[in-house]
Amino acid sequence: MATANDDALWKGELPQAKYLETLDEGANISVDYGDIELPEWYDDAKVKRAQEFFKRNFYAMFVGKLCGLLAIVTVPTILRILVHTNQSSEPRTAYRRYVATIMHTLEWYYEDMVPTSRSWKSIAFVKKTHAGISKQAATVRSGMIISQRDMAITQFGFIGYVIISYRKLGIPFDPKDMEAFVHFWRVIGHMMGIEERFNACTDQFETTEQRMALIANEVLKPALLNHTAEFVKMGKALIEGLWCFNPFIEFDSFLFLTMRLNNIPGYHYWDDEVGPDAKLSEVRHYERFSRYARFLLCCVCYIHSVLLYIAAFRWYFNAQMIMSRFLITYFPFLAFIQFGVTDAYVRILK
């Protein structure tokens, strides 16, 4: 049960550093798998504004989410569950798992939050799936659950880099849009069973940004810098699987981009990103990449740093994502080639 201090914490009335202590407490607390319901503080106008904000920045949001998912796979407790489920350890299964994840997320962004909508059914389905995985995993190994901490970190995977690195992603900042976006994901977190004291999203953008920065610096940074061979295997499967959704992705370049969005020193692309204590003369990590990886990294960084701030280009790249969604749903021809017709079609909410 949340205490008065917990209540004050998520409202931003206590130092945000205490949020890490709260997260650690949540490592042994399972997510609430009861029926989904809207919180009493739900604001439909903010949710609709957040959905429009996403649609205007579809491409940038997709890249931010992709890097976020890559980052959270480095977290041992999350990686352990993924390995246990054995549904994303090679490109074929990763394709089906993560395309389904994208499809579910798009339902949330495009549908109304009402009990009869596909978004509501999607959230209920995902929550039920999490419950089944968590209970089954606990029977195999004591304490191996989908915890409140894991879910809060997973929440970061979907929106963290949009919050802390929107400039690098090429997302124009508007305070009302960001407040609405944070509210939207606070609602999603609540409906998924995250208690308010653990929810990475608060009722304010500023305190949410602080929480996201803490997760990035204290949880993801050390995990990214000391990633394991198991992560590399799972991360490559993720990227190679989602290649069928967007063929312009590659593991080394997107791992670098993830480090860059996480604001890890040394993982800069443009000189003006270098911190005051860093040296421009330092060897850049991407110099050891293949030519193709360096080319992709250059293109992606230029798109996000320059082109997405131009309305016409932003519209063009968003349109490409809409086309990708259409193709992966109705005619996933790249997946036909990679995995065959049967596995190429991914259906949710059957």
PDB file of all heavy atoms in Angstrom, residues 311-336:
ATOM      1  N   ALA A 311       9.151  20.793 -41.846  1.00  0.00           N
ATOM      2  CA  ALA A 311       7.815  20.186 -41.876  1.00  0.00           C
ATOM      3  C   ALA A 311       7.628  19.213 -43.035  1.00  0.00           C
ATOM      4  O   ALA A 311       7.056  18.130 -42.860  1.00  0.00           O
ATOM      5  CB  ALA A 311       6.751  21.281 -41.919  1.00  0.00           C
ATOM      6  N   ALA A 312       8.104  19.573 -44.215  1.00  0.00           N
ATOM      7  CA  ALA A 312       7.907  18.717 -45.389  1.00  0.00           C
ATOM      8  C   ALA A 312       8.607  17.371 -45.221  1.00  0.00           C
ATOM      9  O   ALA A 312       8.055  16.322 -45.567  1.00  0.00           O
ATOM     10  CB  ALA A 312       8.410  19.425 -46.649  1.00  0.00           C
ATOM     11  N   PHE A 313       9.820  17.391 -44.687  1.00  0.00           N
ATOM     12  CA  PHE A 313      10.558  16.147 -44.476  1.00  0.00           C
ATOM     13  C   PHE A 313       9.927  15.338 -43.347  1.00  0.00           C
ATOM     14  O   PHE A 313       9.874  14.102 -43.419  1.00  0.00           O
ATOM     15  CB  PHE A 313      12.028  16.438 -44.168  1.00  0.00           C
ATOM     16  CG  PHE A 313      12.829  16.819 -45.366  1.00  0.00           C
ATOM     17  CD1 PHE A 313      13.179  18.142 -45.599  1.00  0.00           C
ATOM     18  CD2 PHE A 313      13.233  15.859 -46.286  1.00  0.00           C
ATOM     19  CE1 PHE A 313      13.924  18.495 -46.713  1.00  0.00           C
ATOM     20  CE2 PHE A 313      13.984  16.204 -47.406  1.00  0.00           C
ATOM     21  CZ  PHE A 313      14.326  17.528 -47.616  1.00  0.00           C
ATOM     22  N   ARG A 314       9.478  16.023 -42.307  1.00  0.00           N
ATOM     23  CA  ARG A 314       8.828  15.310 -41.220  1.00  0.00           C
ATOM     24  C   ARG A 314       7.574  14.586 -41.734  1.00  0.00           C
ATOM     25  O   ARG A 314       7.325  13.423 -41.386  1.00  0.00           O
ATOM     26  CB  ARG A 314       8.451  16.281 -40.093  1.00  0.00           C
ATOM     27  CG  ARG A 314       7.946  15.578 -38.841  1.00  0.00           C
ATOM     28  CD  ARG A 314       7.951  16.508 -37.620  1.00  0.00           C
ATOM     29  NE  ARG A 314       7.073  17.655 -37.772  1.00  0.00           N
ATOM     30  CZ  ARG A 314       7.495  18.903 -37.932  1.00  0.00           C
ATOM     31  NH1 ARG A 314       8.796  19.171 -37.961  1.00  0.00           N
ATOM     32  NH2 ARG A 314       6.623  19.885 -38.048  1.00  0.00           N
ATOM     33  N   TRP A 315       6.811  15.252 -42.580  1.00  0.00           N
ATOM     34  CA  TRP A 315       5.631  14.634 -43.179  1.00  0.00           C
ATOM     35  C   TRP A 315       6.034  13.428 -44.014  1.00  0.00           C
ATOM     36  O   TRP A 315       5.390  12.373 -43.959  1.00  0.00           O
ATOM     37  CB  TRP A 315       4.897  15.650 -44.061  1.00  0.00           C
ATOM     38  CG  TRP A 315       3.700  15.065 -44.756  1.00  0.00           C
ATOM     39  CD1 TRP A 315       2.429  14.994 -44.291  1.00  0.00           C
ATOM     40  CD2 TRP A 315       3.689  14.413 -46.045  1.00  0.00           C
ATOM     41  NE1 TRP A 315       1.614  14.356 -45.200  1.00  0.00           N
ATOM     42  CE2 TRP A 315       2.362  13.979 -46.285  1.00  0.00           C
ATOM     43  CE3 TRP A 315       4.662  14.170 -47.011  1.00  0.00           C
ATOM     44  CZ2 TRP A 315       1.998  13.317 -47.453  1.00  0.00           C
ATOM     45  CZ3 TRP A 315       4.299  13.495 -48.169  1.00  0.00           C
ATOM     46  CH2 TRP A 315       2.978  13.080 -48.388  1.00  0.00           C
ATOM     47  N   TYR A 316       7.110  13.555 -44.793  1.00  0.00           N
ATOM     48  CA  TYR A 316       7.558  12.466 -45.669  1.00  0.00           C
ATOM     49  C   TYR A 316       7.945  11.222 -44.845  1.00  0.00           C
ATOM     50  O   TYR A 316       7.505  10.109 -45.148  1.00  0.00           O
ATOM     51  CB  TYR A 316       8.751  12.920 -46.504  1.00  0.00           C
ATOM     52  CG  TYR A 316       9.435  11.788 -47.234  1.00  0.00           C
ATOM     53  CD1 TYR A 316       8.881  11.251 -48.398  1.00  0.00           C
ATOM     54  CD2 TYR A 316      10.618  11.225 -46.751  1.00  0.00           C
ATOM     55  CE1 TYR A 316       9.489  10.186 -49.066  1.00  0.00           C
ATOM     56  CE2 TYR A 316      11.232  10.159 -47.409  1.00  0.00           C
ATOM     57  CZ  TYR A 316      10.654   9.652 -48.565  1.00  0.00           C
ATOM     58  OH  TYR A 316      11.259   8.604 -49.213  1.00  0.00           O
ATOM     59  N   PHE A 317       8.740  11.408 -43.813  1.00  0.00           N
ATOM     60  CA  PHE A 317       9.183  10.255 -43.018  1.00  0.00           C
ATOM     61  C   PHE A 317       8.034   9.654 -42.217  1.00  0.00           C
ATOM     62  O   PHE A 317       7.977   8.436 -42.030  1.00  0.00           O
ATOM     63  CB  PHE A 317      10.347  10.657 -42.105  1.00  0.00           C
ATOM     64  CG  PHE A 317      11.640  10.860 -42.847  1.00  0.00           C
ATOM     65  CD1 PHE A 317      12.182  12.124 -42.996  1.00  0.00           C
ATOM     66  CD2 PHE A 317      12.303   9.782 -43.418  1.00  0.00           C
ATOM     67  CE1 PHE A 317      13.365  12.317 -43.697  1.00  0.00           C
ATOM     68  CE2 PHE A 317      13.492   9.958 -44.122  1.00  0.00           C
ATOM     69  CZ  PHE A 317      14.025  11.233 -44.262  1.00  0.00           C
ATOM     70  N   ASN A 318       7.106  10.492 -41.757  1.00  0.00           N
ATOM     71  CA  ASN A 318       5.919   9.959 -41.090  1.00  0.00           C
ATOM     72  C   ASN A 318       5.089   9.120 -42.062  1.00  0.00           C
ATOM     73  O   ASN A 318       4.551   8.067 -41.702  1.00  0.00           O
ATOM     74  CB  ASN A 318       5.071  11.101 -40.533  1.00  0.00           C
ATOM     75  CG  ASN A 318       5.709  11.773 -39.331  1.00  0.00           C
ATOM     76  OD1 ASN A 318       6.595  11.214 -38.688  1.00  0.00           O
ATOM     77  ND2 ASN A 318       5.271  12.986 -39.026  1.00  0.00           N
ATOM     78  N   ALA A 319       4.984   9.608 -43.307  1.00  0.00           N
ATOM     79  CA  ALA A 319       4.233   8.868 -44.327  1.00  0.00           C
ATOM     80  C   ALA A 319       4.879   7.512 -44.600  1.00  0.00           C
ATOM     81  O   ALA A 319       4.185   6.511 -44.842  1.00  0.00           O
ATOM     82  CB  ALA A 319       4.140   9.690 -45.616  1.00  0.00           C
ATOM     83  N   GLN A 320       6.222   7.475 -44.557  1.00  0.00           N
ATOM     84  CA  GLN A 320       6.924   6.208 -44.747  1.00  0.00           C
ATOM     85  C   GLN A 320       6.563   5.209 -43.641  1.00  0.00           C
ATOM     86  O   GLN A 320       6.407   4.010 -43.899  1.00  0.00           O
ATOM     87  CB  GLN A 320       8.438   6.447 -44.754  1.00  0.00           C
ATOM     88  CG  GLN A 320       8.949   7.180 -45.981  1.00  0.00           C
ATOM     89  CD  GLN A 320       8.745   6.367 -47.249  1.00  0.00           C
ATOM     90  OE1 GLN A 320       9.117   5.195 -47.321  1.00  0.00           O
ATOM     91  NE2 GLN A 320       8.129   6.984 -48.248  1.00  0.00           N
ATOM     92  N   MET A 321       6.410   5.701 -42.419  1.00  0.00           N
ATOM     93  CA  MET A 321       6.039   4.813 -41.320  1.00  0.00           C
ATOM     94  C   MET A 321       4.608   4.314 -41.470  1.00  0.00           C
ATOM     95  O   MET A 321       4.304   3.156 -41.160  1.00  0.00           O
ATOM     96  CB  MET A 321       6.206   5.539 -39.982  1.00  0.00           C
ATOM     97  CG  MET A 321       7.637   5.949 -39.668  1.00  0.00           C
ATOM     98  SD  MET A 321       8.816   4.573 -39.783  1.00  0.00           S
ATOM     99  CE  MET A 321       8.197   3.493 -38.523  1.00  0.00           C
ATOM    100  N   ILE A 322       3.724   5.183 -41.934  1.00  0.00           N
ATOM    101  CA  ILE A 322       2.336   4.762 -42.179  1.00  0.00           C
ATOM    102  C   ILE A 322       2.305   3.679 -43.253  1.00  0.00           C
ATOM    103  O   ILE A 322       1.578   2.683 -43.139  1.00  0.00           O
ATOM    104  CB  ILE A 322       1.475   5.973 -42.584  1.00  0.00           C
ATOM    105  CG1 ILE A 322       1.353   6.944 -41.407  1.00  0.00           C
ATOM    106  CG2 ILE A 322       0.086   5.522 -43.049  1.00  0.00           C
ATOM    107  CD1 ILE A 322       0.707   8.263 -41.752  1.00  0.00           C
ATOM    108  N   MET A 323       3.120   3.851 -44.290  1.00  0.00           N
ATOM    109  CA  MET A 323       3.207   2.843 -45.349  1.00  0.00           C
ATOM    110  C   MET A 323       3.776   1.535 -44.789  1.00  0.00           C
ATOM    111  O   MET A 323       3.295   0.447 -45.130  1.00  0.00           O
ATOM    112  CB  MET A 323       4.075   3.355 -46.491  1.00  0.00           C
ATOM    113  CG  MET A 323       4.283   2.341 -47.618  1.00  0.00           C
ATOM    114  SD  MET A 323       2.717   1.786 -48.372  1.00  0.00           S
ATOM    115  CE  MET A 323       2.276   3.276 -49.288  1.00  0.00           C
ATOM    116  N   SER A 324       4.782   1.638 -43.941  1.00  0.00           N
ATOM    117  CA  SER A 324       5.364   0.438 -43.338  1.00  0.00           C
ATOM    118  C   SER A 324       4.330  -0.316 -42.512  1.00  0.00           C
ATOM    119  O   SER A 324       4.280  -1.551 -42.533  1.00  0.00           O
ATOM    120  CB  SER A 324       6.555   0.818 -42.450  1.00  0.00           C
ATOM    121  OG  SER A 324       7.617   1.336 -43.214  1.00  0.00           O
ATOM    122  N   ARG A 325       3.502   0.436 -41.783  1.00  0.00           N
ATOM    123  CA  ARG A 325       2.453  -0.204 -40.994  1.00  0.00           C
ATOM    124  C   ARG A 325       1.466  -0.931 -41.906  1.00  0.00           C
ATOM    125  O   ARG A 325       1.053  -2.065 -41.616  1.00  0.00           O
ATOM    126  CB  ARG A 325       1.710   0.850 -40.165  1.00  0.00           C
ATOM    127  CG  ARG A 325       0.615   0.257 -39.285  1.00  0.00           C
ATOM    128  CD  ARG A 325      -0.288   1.314 -38.680  1.00  0.00           C
ATOM    129  NE  ARG A 325      -1.269   0.712 -37.780  1.00  0.00           N
ATOM    130  CZ  ARG A 325      -2.280   1.353 -37.234  1.00  0.00           C
ATOM    131  NH1 ARG A 325      -2.468   2.652 -37.492  1.00  0.00           N
ATOM    132  NH2 ARG A 325      -3.129   0.734 -36.435  1.00  0.00           N
ATOM    133  N   PHE A 326       1.097  -0.290 -43.005  1.00  0.00           N
ATOM    134  CA  PHE A 326       0.169  -0.910 -43.948  1.00  0.00           C
ATOM    135  C   PHE A 326       0.757  -2.189 -44.537  1.00  0.00           C
ATOM    136  O   PHE A 326       0.096  -3.233 -44.581  1.00  0.00           O
ATOM    137  CB  PHE A 326      -0.171   0.078 -45.067  1.00  0.00           C
ATOM    138  CG  PHE A 326      -1.030  -0.499 -46.149  1.00  0.00           C
ATOM    139  CD1 PHE A 326      -2.415  -0.547 -46.004  1.00  0.00           C
ATOM    140  CD2 PHE A 326      -0.467  -1.015 -47.311  1.00  0.00           C
ATOM    141  CE1 PHE A 326      -3.221  -1.099 -46.999  1.00  0.00           C
ATOM    142  CE2 PHE A 326      -1.255  -1.571 -48.307  1.00  0.00           C
ATOM    143  CZ  PHE A 326      -2.636  -1.613 -48.149  1.00  0.00           C
ATOM    144  N   LEU A 327       2.014  -2.120 -44.969  1.00  0.00           N
ATOM    145  CA  LEU A 327       2.660  -3.269 -45.603  1.00  0.00           C
ATOM    146  C   LEU A 327       2.837  -4.423 -44.625  1.00  0.00           C
ATOM    147  O   LEU A 327       2.593  -5.588 -44.978  1.00  0.00           O
ATOM    148  CB  LEU A 327       4.006  -2.859 -46.196  1.00  0.00           C
ATOM    149  CG  LEU A 327       3.954  -1.956 -47.426  1.00  0.00           C
ATOM    150  CD1 LEU A 327       5.358  -1.513 -47.827  1.00  0.00           C
ATOM    151  CD2 LEU A 327       3.274  -2.661 -48.602  1.00  0.00           C
ATOM    152  N   ILE A 328       3.277  -4.115 -43.393  1.00  0.00           N
ATOM    153  CA  ILE A 328       3.527  -5.200 -42.444  1.00  0.00           C
ATOM    154  C   ILE A 328       2.216  -5.877 -42.047  1.00  0.00           C
ATOM    155  O   ILE A 328       2.197  -7.045 -41.644  1.00  0.00           O
ATOM    156  CB  ILE A 328       4.278  -4.669 -41.199  1.00  0.00           C
ATOM    157  CG1 ILE A 328       5.152  -5.783 -40.584  1.00  0.00           C
ATOM    158  CG2 ILE A 328       3.333  -4.120 -40.157  1.00  0.00           C
ATOM    159  CD1 ILE A 328       6.324  -6.213 -41.391  1.00  0.00           C
ATOM    160  N   THR A 329       1.107  -5.156 -42.186  1.00  0.00           N
ATOM    161  CA  THR A 329      -0.195  -5.722 -41.847  1.00  0.00           C
ATOM    162  C   THR A 329      -0.788  -6.547 -42.983  1.00  0.00           C
ATOM    163  O   THR A 329      -1.292  -7.651 -42.771  1.00  0.00           O
ATOM    164  CB  THR A 329      -1.188  -4.600 -41.467  1.00  0.00           C
ATOM    165  OG1 THR A 329      -0.644  -3.833 -40.382  1.00  0.00           O
ATOM    166  CG2 THR A 329      -2.533  -5.181 -41.053  1.00  0.00           C
ATOM    167  N   TYR A 330      -0.695  -6.011 -44.212  1.00  0.00           N
ATOM    168  CA  TYR A 330      -1.406  -6.630 -45.337  1.00  0.00           C
ATOM    169  C   TYR A 330      -0.502  -7.302 -46.377  1.00  0.00           C
ATOM    170  O   TYR A 330      -0.945  -8.249 -47.036  1.00  0.00           O
ATOM    171  CB  TYR A 330      -2.275  -5.580 -46.038  1.00  0.00           C
ATOM    172  CG  TYR A 330      -3.323  -4.993 -45.128  1.00  0.00           C
ATOM    173  CD1 TYR A 330      -3.196  -3.704 -44.634  1.00  0.00           C
ATOM    174  CD2 TYR A 330      -4.437  -5.745 -44.740  1.00  0.00           C
ATOM    175  CE1 TYR A 330      -4.150  -3.155 -43.776  1.00  0.00           C
ATOM    176  CE2 TYR A 330      -5.394  -5.218 -43.885  1.00  0.00           C
ATOM    177  CZ  TYR A 330      -5.242  -3.923 -43.406  1.00  0.00           C
ATOM    178  OH  TYR A 330      -6.185  -3.395 -42.564  1.00  0.00           O
ATOM    179  N   PHE A 331       0.731  -6.831 -46.519  1.00  0.00           N
ATOM    180  CA  PHE A 331       1.607  -7.426 -47.523  1.00  0.00           C
ATOM    181  C   PHE A 331       3.063  -7.304 -47.081  1.00  0.00           C
ATOM    182  O   PHE A 331       3.844  -6.537 -47.628  1.00  0.00           O
ATOM    183  CB  PHE A 331       1.413  -6.742 -48.879  1.00  0.00           C
ATOM    184  CG  PHE A 331       2.144  -7.425 -50.006  1.00  0.00           C
ATOM    185  CD1 PHE A 331       1.824  -8.713 -50.380  1.00  0.00           C
ATOM    186  CD2 PHE A 331       3.166  -6.763 -50.682  1.00  0.00           C
ATOM    187  CE1 PHE A 331       2.514  -9.340 -51.417  1.00  0.00           C
ATOM    188  CE2 PHE A 331       3.859  -7.377 -51.716  1.00  0.00           C
ATOM    189  CZ  PHE A 331       3.531  -8.672 -52.089  1.00  0.00           C
ATOM    190  N   PRO A 332       3.456  -8.069 -46.064  1.00  0.00           N
ATOM    191  CA  PRO A 332       4.820  -7.986 -45.526  1.00  0.00           C
ATOM    192  C   PRO A 332       5.832  -8.717 -46.412  1.00  0.00           C
ATOM    193  O   PRO A 332       6.371  -9.761 -46.047  1.00  0.00           O
ATOM    194  CB  PRO A 332       4.679  -8.648 -44.154  1.00  0.00           C
ATOM    195  CG  PRO A 332       3.588  -9.647 -44.345  1.00  0.00           C
ATOM    196  CD  PRO A 332       2.613  -9.023 -45.314  1.00  0.00           C
ATOM    197  N   PHE A 333       6.085  -8.144 -47.580  1.00  0.00           N
ATOM    198  CA  PHE A 333       6.884  -8.853 -48.591  1.00  0.00           C
ATOM    199  C   PHE A 333       8.319  -9.117 -48.132  1.00  0.00           C
ATOM    200  O   PHE A 333       8.904 -10.149 -48.492  1.00  0.00           O
ATOM    201  CB  PHE A 333       6.871  -8.088 -49.921  1.00  0.00           C
ATOM    202  CG  PHE A 333       7.524  -6.737 -49.879  1.00  0.00           C
ATOM    203  CD1 PHE A 333       8.851  -6.579 -50.245  1.00  0.00           C
ATOM    204  CD2 PHE A 333       6.800  -5.622 -49.473  1.00  0.00           C
ATOM    205  CE1 PHE A 333       9.449  -5.338 -50.213  1.00  0.00           C
ATOM    206  CE2 PHE A 333       7.390  -4.372 -49.442  1.00  0.00           C
ATOM    207  CZ  PHE A 333       8.727  -4.226 -49.805  1.00  0.00           C
ATOM    208  N   LEU A 334       8.913  -8.218 -47.334  1.00  0.00           N
ATOM    209  CA  LEU A 334      10.265  -8.481 -46.840  1.00  0.00           C
ATOM    210  C   LEU A 334      10.271  -9.676 -45.885  1.00  0.00           C
ATOM    211  O   LEU A 334      11.199 -10.483 -45.892  1.00  0.00           O
ATOM    212  CB  LEU A 334      10.826  -7.244 -46.144  1.00  0.00           C
ATOM    213  CG  LEU A 334      11.120  -6.039 -47.042  1.00  0.00           C
ATOM    214  CD1 LEU A 334      11.577  -4.845 -46.205  1.00  0.00           C
ATOM    215  CD2 LEU A 334      12.194  -6.391 -48.081  1.00  0.00           C
ATOM    216  N   ALA A 335       9.226  -9.787 -45.099  1.00  0.00           N
ATOM    217  CA  ALA A 335       9.108 -10.938 -44.191  1.00  0.00           C
ATOM    218  C   ALA A 335       8.827 -12.222 -44.967  1.00  0.00           C
ATOM    219  O   ALA A 335       9.232 -13.310 -44.539  1.00  0.00           O
ATOM    220  CB  ALA A 335       8.011 -10.683 -43.159  1.00  0.00           C
ATOM    221  N   PHE A 336       8.124 -12.103 -46.104  1.00  0.00           N
ATOM    222  CA  PHE A 336       7.929 -13.288 -46.962  1.00  0.00           C
ATOM    223  C   PHE A 336       9.288 -13.881 -47.315  1.00  0.00           C
ATOM    224  O   PHE A 336       9.499 -15.095 -47.256  1.00  0.00           O
ATOM    225  CB  PHE A 336       7.215 -12.904 -48.265  1.00  0.00           C
ATOM    226  CG  PHE A 336       5.777 -12.513 -48.111  1.00  0.00           C
ATOM    227  CD1 PHE A 336       5.123 -11.851 -49.141  1.00  0.00           C
ATOM    228  CD2 PHE A 336       5.070 -12.796 -46.958  1.00  0.00           C
ATOM    229  CE1 PHE A 336       3.794 -11.480 -49.028  1.00  0.00           C
ATOM    230  CE2 PHE A 336       3.734 -12.437 -46.822  1.00  0.00           C
ATOM    231  CZ  PHE A 336       3.093 -11.773 -47.859  1.00  0.00           C
TER     232      PHE A 336
END
